[in-house]
Short mmCIF file of all heavy atoms in Angstrom, two decimals:
data_model
loop_
_atom_site.label_atom_id
_atom_site.label_comp_id
_atom_site.label_asym_id
_atom_site.label_seq_id
_atom_site.Cartn_x
_atom_site.Cartn_y
_atom_site.Cartn_z
N GLY A 37 93.25 30.72 34.01
CA GLY A 37 94.30 29.80 34.42
C GLY A 37 93.79 28.73 35.37
O GLY A 37 94.23 27.57 35.30
N ASN A 38 92.86 29.10 36.23
CA ASN A 38 92.26 28.12 37.14
C ASN A 38 91.47 27.06 36.36
O ASN A 38 91.53 25.87 36.68
CB ASN A 38 91.35 28.82 38.14
CG ASN A 38 92.11 29.64 39.16
OD1 ASN A 38 93.28 29.37 39.44
ND2 ASN A 38 91.46 30.65 39.73
N VAL A 39 90.73 27.52 35.34
CA VAL A 39 89.99 26.59 34.49
C VAL A 39 90.96 25.63 33.80
O VAL A 39 90.73 24.40 33.75
CB VAL A 39 89.18 27.36 33.43
CG1 VAL A 39 88.58 26.41 32.40
CG2 VAL A 39 88.08 28.19 34.09
N ILE A 40 92.05 26.15 33.29
CA ILE A 40 93.04 25.34 32.56
C ILE A 40 93.73 24.36 33.50
O ILE A 40 93.92 23.18 33.15
CB ILE A 40 94.06 26.26 31.87
CG1 ILE A 40 93.36 27.05 30.75
CG2 ILE A 40 95.23 25.46 31.30
CD1 ILE A 40 94.19 28.21 30.21
N ALA A 41 94.13 24.83 34.67
CA ALA A 41 94.83 23.96 35.61
C ALA A 41 93.95 22.79 36.04
O ALA A 41 94.43 21.65 36.14
CB ALA A 41 95.29 24.77 36.83
N ARG A 42 92.67 23.06 36.29
CA ARG A 42 91.76 21.97 36.65
C ARG A 42 91.61 20.99 35.49
O ARG A 42 91.60 19.76 35.68
CB ARG A 42 90.39 22.54 37.05
CG ARG A 42 90.38 23.26 38.39
CD ARG A 42 88.96 23.46 38.87
NE ARG A 42 88.16 24.26 37.94
CZ ARG A 42 88.05 25.59 38.00
NH1 ARG A 42 88.68 26.28 38.95
NH2 ARG A 42 87.30 26.23 37.12
N GLY A 43 91.50 21.52 34.28
CA GLY A 43 91.38 20.65 33.11
C GLY A 43 92.62 19.83 32.87
O GLY A 43 92.54 18.68 32.42
N PHE A 44 93.78 20.41 33.18
CA PHE A 44 95.04 19.70 32.97
C PHE A 44 95.17 18.51 33.92
O PHE A 44 95.79 17.49 33.57
CB PHE A 44 96.21 20.67 33.18
CG PHE A 44 97.54 20.13 32.72
CD1 PHE A 44 97.76 19.83 31.39
CD2 PHE A 44 98.58 19.93 33.62
CE1 PHE A 44 98.99 19.34 30.95
CE2 PHE A 44 99.80 19.44 33.20
CZ PHE A 44 100.01 19.15 31.86
N GLU A 45 94.59 18.63 35.10
CA GLU A 45 94.63 17.53 36.07
C GLU A 45 93.71 16.38 35.66
O GLU A 45 93.91 15.25 36.09
CB GLU A 45 94.22 18.05 37.45
CG GLU A 45 95.24 19.00 38.07
CD GLU A 45 94.77 19.56 39.39
OE1 GLU A 45 93.62 19.26 39.80
OE2 GLU A 45 95.54 20.30 40.03
N ASN A 46 92.71 16.68 34.83
CA ASN A 46 91.76 15.64 34.41
C ASN A 46 91.53 15.75 32.91
O ASN A 46 90.53 16.31 32.46
CB ASN A 46 90.44 15.78 35.18
CG ASN A 46 89.44 14.70 34.81
OD1 ASN A 46 89.82 13.64 34.32
ND2 ASN A 46 88.17 14.98 35.04
N ARG A 47 92.47 15.22 32.14
CA ARG A 47 92.41 15.36 30.69
C ARG A 47 91.64 14.23 30.02
O ARG A 47 91.61 14.14 28.80
CB ARG A 47 93.82 15.44 30.11
CG ARG A 47 94.61 16.66 30.58
CD ARG A 47 95.89 16.84 29.79
NE ARG A 47 96.65 15.61 29.66
CZ ARG A 47 97.40 15.09 30.62
NH1 ARG A 47 97.48 15.68 31.79
NH2 ARG A 47 98.08 13.96 30.41
N SER A 48 91.01 13.37 30.79
CA SER A 48 90.30 12.23 30.21
C SER A 48 89.01 12.64 29.52
O SER A 48 88.44 11.87 28.75
CB SER A 48 90.00 11.20 31.29
OG SER A 48 89.19 11.76 32.31
N ASP A 49 88.54 13.86 29.79
CA ASP A 49 87.26 14.32 29.23
C ASP A 49 87.44 15.66 28.53
O ASP A 49 86.72 16.61 28.78
CB ASP A 49 86.22 14.43 30.34
CG ASP A 49 84.82 14.76 29.81
OD1 ASP A 49 84.53 14.37 28.67
OD2 ASP A 49 84.07 15.43 30.53
N LEU A 50 88.43 15.75 27.64
CA LEU A 50 88.75 17.03 27.01
C LEU A 50 87.82 17.37 25.85
O LEU A 50 87.69 18.53 25.49
CB LEU A 50 90.20 17.01 26.50
CG LEU A 50 91.29 17.08 27.57
CD1 LEU A 50 92.66 17.06 26.90
CD2 LEU A 50 91.13 18.32 28.43
N MET A 51 87.19 16.38 25.24
CA MET A 51 86.32 16.61 24.08
C MET A 51 87.07 17.40 23.00
O MET A 51 86.69 18.49 22.61
CB MET A 51 85.05 17.36 24.50
CG MET A 51 84.16 16.57 25.46
SD MET A 51 82.76 17.52 26.08
CE MET A 51 81.90 17.93 24.55
N THR A 52 88.15 16.79 22.53
CA THR A 52 89.01 17.44 21.55
C THR A 52 88.36 17.45 20.17
O THR A 52 87.80 16.46 19.72
CB THR A 52 90.37 16.72 21.48
OG1 THR A 52 90.96 16.72 22.78
CG2 THR A 52 91.29 17.40 20.50
N GLU A 53 88.44 18.61 19.49
CA GLU A 53 87.95 18.76 18.12
C GLU A 53 89.11 19.19 17.23
O GLU A 53 90.04 19.86 17.67
CB GLU A 53 86.85 19.82 18.06
CG GLU A 53 85.64 19.53 18.93
CD GLU A 53 84.66 20.69 18.94
OE1 GLU A 53 84.73 21.52 18.01
OE2 GLU A 53 83.87 20.79 19.88
N LYS A 54 89.03 18.82 15.96
CA LYS A 54 90.04 19.20 14.99
C LYS A 54 89.55 20.40 14.19
O LYS A 54 88.51 20.33 13.53
CB LYS A 54 90.37 18.04 14.06
CG LYS A 54 91.57 18.26 13.16
CD LYS A 54 91.93 17.00 12.39
CE LYS A 54 93.17 17.21 11.55
NZ LYS A 54 93.57 15.99 10.81
N LYS A 55 90.29 21.52 14.27
CA LYS A 55 89.92 22.73 13.52
C LYS A 55 90.52 22.74 12.13
O LYS A 55 89.98 23.35 11.21
CB LYS A 55 90.38 23.97 14.27
CG LYS A 55 89.71 24.17 15.62
CD LYS A 55 90.00 25.56 16.18
CE LYS A 55 91.46 25.75 16.50
NZ LYS A 55 91.72 27.08 17.11
N GLY A 56 91.66 22.10 11.99
CA GLY A 56 92.36 22.08 10.71
C GLY A 56 93.51 21.11 10.82
O GLY A 56 93.62 20.35 11.79
N GLU A 57 94.38 21.10 9.82
CA GLU A 57 95.52 20.19 9.82
C GLU A 57 96.42 20.46 11.02
O GLU A 57 96.97 21.55 11.17
CB GLU A 57 96.32 20.35 8.52
CG GLU A 57 97.41 19.31 8.33
CD GLU A 57 96.84 17.90 8.16
OE1 GLU A 57 95.69 17.77 7.71
OE2 GLU A 57 97.57 16.94 8.49
N ASN A 58 96.54 19.47 11.90
CA ASN A 58 97.37 19.58 13.10
C ASN A 58 96.96 20.77 13.98
O ASN A 58 97.80 21.39 14.63
CB ASN A 58 98.85 19.69 12.74
CG ASN A 58 99.35 18.46 12.02
OD1 ASN A 58 99.09 17.34 12.46
ND2 ASN A 58 100.05 18.64 10.92
N ASP A 59 95.68 21.07 14.00
CA ASP A 59 95.17 22.22 14.75
C ASP A 59 93.96 21.77 15.56
O ASP A 59 92.94 21.38 14.98
CB ASP A 59 94.79 23.35 13.78
CG ASP A 59 94.53 24.66 14.49
OD1 ASP A 59 94.79 24.74 15.71
OD2 ASP A 59 94.07 25.60 13.82
N PHE A 60 94.07 21.82 16.89
CA PHE A 60 93.04 21.23 17.74
C PHE A 60 92.50 22.26 18.74
O PHE A 60 93.14 23.25 19.06
CB PHE A 60 93.61 20.04 18.51
CG PHE A 60 94.15 18.95 17.62
CD1 PHE A 60 95.50 18.91 17.30
CD2 PHE A 60 93.30 17.99 17.09
CE1 PHE A 60 96.01 17.92 16.47
CE2 PHE A 60 93.79 16.99 16.27
CZ PHE A 60 95.15 16.96 15.96
N VAL A 61 91.27 21.97 19.22
CA VAL A 61 90.65 22.78 20.26
C VAL A 61 89.96 21.84 21.23
O VAL A 61 89.44 20.79 20.84
CB VAL A 61 89.65 23.80 19.67
CG1 VAL A 61 88.51 23.10 18.94
CG2 VAL A 61 89.10 24.72 20.74
#
Side-chain angles (χ1 to χ4, degrees):
N38 290 335
V39 171
I40 293 167
R42 289 195 300 269
F44 192 64
E45 291 176 356
N46 182 21
R47 297 191 312 283
S48 60
D49 186 30
L50 288 180
M51 296 174 60
T52 303
E53 301 174 20
K54 189 173 183 178
K55 296 192 294 183
E57 188 66 26
N58 297 314
D59 192 8
F60 301 95
V61 61

